[in-house]
Amino acid sequence: CFTTEVLEGFDVQRTSGLGDTIRKYGFLTRAITQYYRSLDPEDKEKSCGVCSPFDEFIKRCQDLEKMTVSDVFATQLMQVQQVTEEVAITVLDLYPTLLSLARAYSSLDGDVRAQEEMLKKQSNNVINEVASRNIFQLIWGS
């Protein structure tokens, strides 16, 4: 499936297979390249604030593939029993890093019951009691 983002939604175009998908990406890449090459030097200067040069765009796309601290934390969370992808995303929305979650636990001054239930309460029960307790044990368990 070949997907392109269009303004606020997605325009999904079905392809017949890998070859067709690669061909569509090739056409898209050529169109972008031709557009940048066709710009007059004055137009290029005007568009600098809007679009970065093609080589900078490629570099930025490569940087997006790098794993972030939040990505690693999400992977760790999904190893915990009862933690689904939805639960991990909910935790990341509340606490994007392991350190931010550990600080939240420490602010409860050793009240283990409150610490175990913290994520359940803060997520309006999106995170169930067992998952909340298991995550606490992962981060703060002895």
Side-chain angles (χ1 to χ4, degrees):
C1 175
F2 175 86
T3 308
T4 55
E5 186 174 354
V6 178
L7 295 178
E8 296 176 3
F10 288 94
D11 175 30
V12 179
Q13 300 177 6
R14 300 283 175 205
T15 57
S16 61
L18 179 62
D20 192 23
T21 301
I22 291 171
R23 213 171 3 270
K24 285 199 182 275
Y25 274 122
F27 292 140
L28 182 61
T29 302
R30 283 188 191 141
I32 292 169
T33 303
Q34 286 173 353
Y35 170 76
Y36 273 99
R37 286 184 181 151
S38 71
L39 290 177
D40 288 335
E42 290 177 19
D43 290 340
K44 286 181 184 177
E45 288 175 19
K46 290 177 189 174
S47 70
C48 282
V50 178
C51 296
S52 57
F54 188 67
D55 58 337
E56 286 180 30
F57 171 76
I58 294 296
K59 184 180 181 320
R60 190 173 302 148
C61 288
Q62 290 169 340
D63 289 343
L64 293 176
E65 295 173 7
K66 294 179 182 170
M67 211 165 202
T68 66
V69 172
S70 291
D71 293 335
V72 173
F73 184 37
T75 303
Q76 290 173 324
L77 287 171
M78 287 190 286
Q79 304 304 310
V80 176
Q81 198 169 27
Q82 295 286 317
V83 176
T84 62
E85 183 178 2
E86 179 186 17
V87 169
I89 290 169
T90 302
V91 172
L92 289 175
D93 287 344
L94 295 166
Y95 303 100
T97 65
L98 178 80
L99 182 60
S100 62
L101 179 56
R103 284 183 177 150
Y105 284 136
S106 71
S107 72
L108 295 173
D109 295 325
D111 182 347
V112 175
R113 180 107 172 119
Q115 290 169 323
E116 288 179 341
E117 295 177 349
M118 181 183 80
L119 291 174
K120 178 185 175 204
K121 289 179 179 177
Q122 290 179 350
S123 70
N124 294 322
N125 295 323
V126 171
I127 301 171
N128 68 39
E129 188 175 335
V130 176
S132 184
R133 184 175 55 246
N134 289 347
I135 294 168
F136 169 71
Q137 289 300 319
L138 168 74
I139 308 302
W140 216 254
S142 52

